[in-house]
Amino acid sequence: MLSDNCKTAISGYLILHMQMRRKFLFILIFTLTPIACSNQQNPNAYQLSGSTMGTTYNITIVGENLVNHELINSALEDIESAMSTYRLESELMQLNEAPINTWINVSPALYEVLLISEEISVLSNGAFDITVSPLVNLWGFGPEKHKNDTLPNTEAIEELLRNIGFEYLIIAEDREAVLKREMIRLDLSAVAKGYAVDVLAELLEENNISNYLVEIGGEISGRGRNAEGDLWQIAIEAPLRSAQNREPFQIIGISGLSLASSGDYRNFFEVDDIHYSHTIDPSSGSPINHNLASVTVIAETTAIADALATAFNVMGIEQAMALANNNNIAVYFIIKTADGFLESYSMAFAQYINENYND
Ligand code: ADP
Ligand code: MG
């Protein structure tokens, strides 16, 4: 049992898509200093935090091994300079400008993320599609931000849809190179945060750290145990549109797994009381519009969980549930109803609800 001091120091809630469980208190620890407390099994727990990809990251480590914070920041910087659509000089933005029908060499990291994206596009029959970038901008959610007070007209959407389709990107199988069949523009926002979580997790493993939770903008990977020797407790947030109201809706215990969410309740705008989400349905060219408020996927890697969450969100509950059950994917849905929210989950997700706490 921990002393009260120790509990306050090393337990608690990570705010964002995640929070820890009911009985724990929370403070975010922003220092590299290991925390001394009376817990003999886990004398050290510390947190590293910062900003990346327009959001924040938090890493919680339990154990004696340390990792250099600079190493973390430099790994994140490498990913941003390869994959950001917010940096004109990024490798991705250069690829977006590159001519069509020419093989272009890409870095191993970009190659890996493009392969993962293709895999999820094929699996989701194009619901996940990194070539949506022009539509993301047209709807005012990309780097070319504009005031969302008027809606794009149908002609503009149809015009852009002509050059949208993941099949226009050819990925070489034998080397790290790609070819664009059309003048497509890629946006990795729905997978890059998850990929970055995986890179950081690998970096921690290389530093012999085996108990950790890595989180970037709500995409999470947890290995080993938390400071209480328990599974890492993650709360799936209630999909409330007010940023002030943040409540856990369901709490999941994980270890050796990744978890990512996609929702319509954080990044959106409203015109005439109609809600427009930042997730675009590539078949219509417009933001998704259905009763799914949030989608959470548990998978082996965070990149896959991240991309799948967006894919399922585009597909809507019925198609998404069928795809998940046919492929043994663990996914949890929160559905909007007239009186509030309802939960629903795939067969593979049931184990995380039933074995929730590891008391
Ligand atoms: P969420 O957690 O809500 O899924 P993400 O940040 O992971 O949010 O992904 C949303 C971003 O992905 C959008 O802002 C846009 O840049 C991009 N995006 C939108 N629709 C799609 C889509 N159908 N496939 C792939 N990426 C998309
Ligand atoms: Mg995502």
Side-chain angles (χ1 to χ4, degrees), residues 127-129 132 136 187 189-190 193 261-263 278 280 282 306 310 314:
F128 181 83
D129 189 336
V132 289
V136 173
D187 174 347
S189 306
K193 289 193 294 285
S261 292
S262 179
H278 71 152
I280 308 286
D306 194 3
T310 299
V314 171

Side-chain angles (χ1 to χ4, degrees), residues 123-200:
L123 184 72
S124 67
N125 200 16
F128 181 83
D129 189 336
I130 56 172
T131 68
V132 289
S133 182
L135 286 167
V136 173
N137 279 320
L138 182 71
W139 284 95
F141 292 110
E144 295 162 32
K145 282 221 161 40
H146 52 79
K147 219 167 144 239
N148 302 101
D149 50 2
T150 51
L151 301 175
N153 61 45
T154 320
E155 291 78 48
I157 295 170
E158 274 166 12
E159 171 75 33
L160 294 183
L161 273 174
R162 267 184 233 131
N163 274 0
I164 286 169
F166 70 93
E167 64 280 1
Y168 296 140
L169 182 75
I170 314 297
I171 307 177
E173 283 174 19
D174 54 344
R175 67 210 155 96
E176 287 150 356
V178 299
L179 178 143
K180 305 193 296 182
R181 282 250 179 264
E182 297 287 343
M183 201 54 202
I184 46 171
R185 293 202 155 73
L186 310 179
D187 174 347
L188 297 173
S189 306
V191 59
K193 289 193 294 285
Y195 174 77
V197 169
D198 292 332
V199 169
L200 295 191

